[in-house]
Amino acid sequence: AVECIGTLKVTARALDGTIRDLYLRNVRCVPSSKYTMLSVEQLWEGSSMDCVFKDNMHFVANDGYVYPFGREDGLYVWQLQLQRDGCDQ
């Protein structure tokens, strides 16, 4: 069950190699789940991040930075580091 909705701070590597902190807004916190899942629609609505699937899968942040993601076992995977468990409400 969703315990809170808020902002989640993560760290991601941009396509140019820089490591950047990102704040994903309006995320749903589900501590009982062993997976961290993101909604592409929610990334757009909450954080203005665009998503490109095609051959070069990536997210584009509103500051122009590009963040690549991949595909593993039929799932799209974006390597992120959570700055802490949970989210700020």
Side-chain angles (χ1 to χ4, degrees), residues 2 13 16-17 19 28 33 36 42 51 58 68-69 74 81:
V2 173
R13 182 181 304 274
D16 67 2
I19 304 294
R28 274 74 174 157
S33 177
T36 301
Q42 191 62 41
C51 181
H58 61 270
F69 63 90
Q81 181 179 8

Side-chain angles (χ1 to χ4, degrees), residues 42-58:
Q42 191 62 41
L43 283 173
W44 172 250
E45 289 178 1
S47 301
S48 299
M49 292 187 77
D50 202 359
C51 181
V52 176
F53 287 95
K54 300 183 183 177
D55 292 334
N56 56 354
M57 299 174 284
H58 61 270

Side-chain angles (χ1 to χ4, degrees), residues 18-83:
T18 58
I19 304 294
R20 309 218 356 121
D21 288 336
L22 298 172
Y23 296 87
L24 305 179
R25 297 181 188 350
N26 297 318
V27 298
R28 274 74 174 157
C29 181
V30 183
S32 60
S33 177
K34 67 179 185 173
Y35 300 103
T36 301
M37 297 179 282
L38 297 172
S39 161
V40 172
E41 183 176 8
Q42 191 62 41
L43 283 173
W44 172 250
E45 289 178 1
S47 301
S48 299
M49 292 187 77
D50 202 359
C51 181
V52 176
F53 287 95
K54 300 183 183 177
D55 292 334
N56 56 354
M57 299 174 284
H58 61 270
F59 293 106
V60 181
N62 59 2
D63 61 6
Y65 279 91
V66 175
Y67 299 92
F69 63 90
R71 193 167 167 89
E72 297 175 13
D73 299 325
L75 298 173
Y76 293 101
V77 178
W78 186 20
Q79 298 294 328
L80 298 174
Q81 181 179 8
L82 297 177
Q83 291 301 315

